[in-house]
Amino acid sequence: MSRYSIEEFIKQTEQKDKGEGFFELETPRMLEVNLDGQVWAKAGSMVAYHGEMKFVREGILEHGLGTALKKAFTGEGASLMKANGKGKLYLADSGKKIIILNLKNDSIYINGNDLLAFEPSIKWEIKLMKKIAGMLAGGLFNVRFEGTGMIAFTAHYEPITLRVSPGNPIITDPNATVAWSGNLMPSFQTDITLKTFLGRGSGESIQMKFDGDGFVVIQPFEEVYMRAKQSMS
């Protein structure tokens, strides 16, 4: 087989079954879902599928009025869809790296914009960060997951996890914060020095502070989101 031939290209890049189960990383940036039933996924993340599937956008009142109000306030930044059927579903999000976790009666918070997919067996709830709404473009809301099942989220480049321990809080930039353990609830603080140094409009003057015992996942990238007021217009 000659180098750079179409046959060689197909051999190097074609899909291969790895037998990893419900979620399978085809590449670090492409998720294969071996679907036989239902899965929740980020709206717009489907890049291909084969088999019999039906896609349904999340009903605005499906999870109660409280969730609907939160979604309206955040401009539906965490829009979800349900995929029902049987076959192989391929998901991706702007070429971001995909992380898969198998929750076993665990809980975790994930930034709404970084969520990719999860099994319907996991309980979830949108959490709105009211204190910084309107002040900060990123990190306006997140999703808390609890239970047992597979979940996939994304990060720009290579994420790292920082341990949080009592008396040793971790301070992060909300735009670089991807996820954190379900027992932690961050507080928000404004760094006046940074604000003066960077200018009044800089989001880096708003910081997330994590106290307690757990972990925080950060990425080497400050994601810029549409501001709440713009997304509601």
Side-chain angles (χ1 to χ4, degrees), residues 207-222:
Q207 302 167 340
M208 299 174 78
K209 181 179 181 181
F210 294 88
D211 282 294
D213 188 5
F215 64 87
V216 183
V217 182
I218 59 170
Q219 61 185 4
F221 185 91
E222 293 179 59

Side-chain angles (χ1 to χ4, degrees), residues 23-45:
F23 281 179
E24 186 172 299
L25 277 182
E26 279 298 306
T27 73
R29 293 167 174 80
M30 182 81 72
L31 178 69
E32 177 185 283
V33 182
N34 293 297
L35 190 61
D36 188 4
Q38 184 183 106
V39 68
W40 283 101
K42 184 175 184 177
S45 64

